[in-house]
Amino acid sequence: MAKPQEKVSFGQRLKQIGMVFQFTAKQDRWFAPLAAGAVLIPLALTVVAVILWGWLWLPLGILFALLALLIVLNLRSNAAMMNAAEGQPGAAAQIMESMRGDWRVTPAVSSTTQMDMVHLVIGRPGVILLAEGSPQRVRGLLGQEKRRLAKVIGNAPLYDYVIGRDEGELPIRKLRMTLMRLPRNLSGKDVNALDKRLKALTARPQLPKGAIPKNMRPPRGAFRQTRGR
């Protein structure tokens, strides 16, 4: 059973917003002036409204100022996160894991020692492969994964993208919008069934940690007998 989501207290929420403020201010030099303008302009209009029509406009003006600040924070923080994520290994998988909706993400189902990797995503559009790294190497990985998945996905659509800035590649800042615009080809039941099949395909047996148990060790002389045959 899925674990119930832990409730975030008001203090924790404020701390999270403060961390987003600090991160965005470091990454985006225009954030501070825009945030100041988003607060000062509504407050200035509020002062005028209070003088002309009374104190009833004061709480409304404060609410408008806070709303404008949150809008600026949301837009600029998303852009700052995209800029910081660009070129970072595994960034595409992290972005997909933070997206709203039913997206089943398996990071690095295929990879190389040079930090090239292919991520597997299952959602309402179908099966999606996201490749990060050297275009020459990741295209080979994509081909291997497409051949492997073709055996089990049936009629489900298969999309693949190479993350990058060159021609024919998908910039990471456009990843969210591109996938959200894909047609919804599968139902929720289809996604669940497909997820189970692909998990069985991508499951990798885990070797036991530590010393090998005695009952699993080969008897003495077994290797000599094998070499002697």
Side-chain angles (χ1 to χ4, degrees):
M1 295 179 62
K3 296 182 178 178
Q5 294 184 350
E6 296 182 359
K7 293 184 179 180
V8 180
S9 66
F10 180 72
Q12 291 175 327
R13 183 71 66 186
L14 288 179
K15 186 177 180 180
Q16 292 174 354
I17 294 175
M19 292 173 63
V20 175
F21 262 95
Q22 292 178 359
F23 170 79
T24 308
K26 289 180 180 179
Q27 297 290 331
D28 185 0
R29 63 175 182 173
W30 292 106
F31 171 67
L34 290 172
V39 173
L40 294 177
I41 292 175
L43 289 181
L45 295 175
T46 300
V47 171
V48 175
V50 167
I51 294 173
L52 295 177
W53 298 295
W55 291 96
L56 180 62
W57 288 91
L58 181 60
L60 291 177
I62 294 174
L63 289 177
F64 278 122
L66 291 175
L67 179 61
L69 178 60
L70 290 177
I71 291 174
V72 171
L73 175 63
N74 182 53
L75 294 175
R76 305 305 293 189
S77 63
N78 285 335
M81 284 189 286
M82 292 297 104
N83 291 333
E86 197 162 15
Q88 298 295 323
Q94 294 178 1
I95 291 173
M96 289 303 306
E97 289 175 338
S98 66
M99 282 181 60
R100 294 181 179 179
D102 189 10
W103 302 97
R104 321 286 177 90
V105 184
T106 306
V109 292
S110 182
S111 60
T112 68
T113 56
Q114 291 85 8
M115 299 302 290
D116 309 301
M117 57 191 73
V118 175
H119 313 297
L120 172 64
V121 180
I122 307 169
R124 295 290 297 275
V127 180
I128 304 167
L129 293 174
L130 303 175
E132 295 183 279
S134 169
Q136 293 77 18
R137 293 192 294 264
V138 296
R139 294 191 188 279
L141 294 178
L142 277 175
Q144 295 174 8
E145 285 302 311
K146 290 167 72 173
R147 289 191 294 271
R148 191 165 71 105
L149 295 176
K151 303 175 183 178
V152 295
I153 65 174
N155 295 325
L158 176 61
Y159 304 89
D160 63 276
Y161 300 95
V162 176
I163 306 299
R165 289 184 173 183
D166 295 334
E167 184 178 358
E169 299 176 353
L170 177 63
I172 197 166
R173 64 182 62 246
K174 295 183 179 180
L175 176 60
R176 291 175 184 262
M177 189 61 65
T178 299
L179 298 194
M180 292 299 293
R181 288 178 177 176
L182 292 176
R184 299 302 186 251
N185 301 304
L186 304 180
S187 65
K189 292 182 179 180
D190 294 333
V191 173
N192 289 332
L194 189 59
D195 188 25
K196 290 180 181 178
R197 293 203 302 269
L198 292 184
K199 280 182 178 177
L201 177 68
T202 57
R204 300 172 181 173
Q206 298 292 327
L207 294 176
K209 297 181 179 180
I212 301 176
K214 292 182 179 180
N215 58 355
M216 294 180 62
R217 294 175 182 172
R220 293 182 178 179
F223 294 114
R224 289 196 299 270
Q225 293 175 8
T226 304
R227 289 197 300 268
R229 292 179 182 177

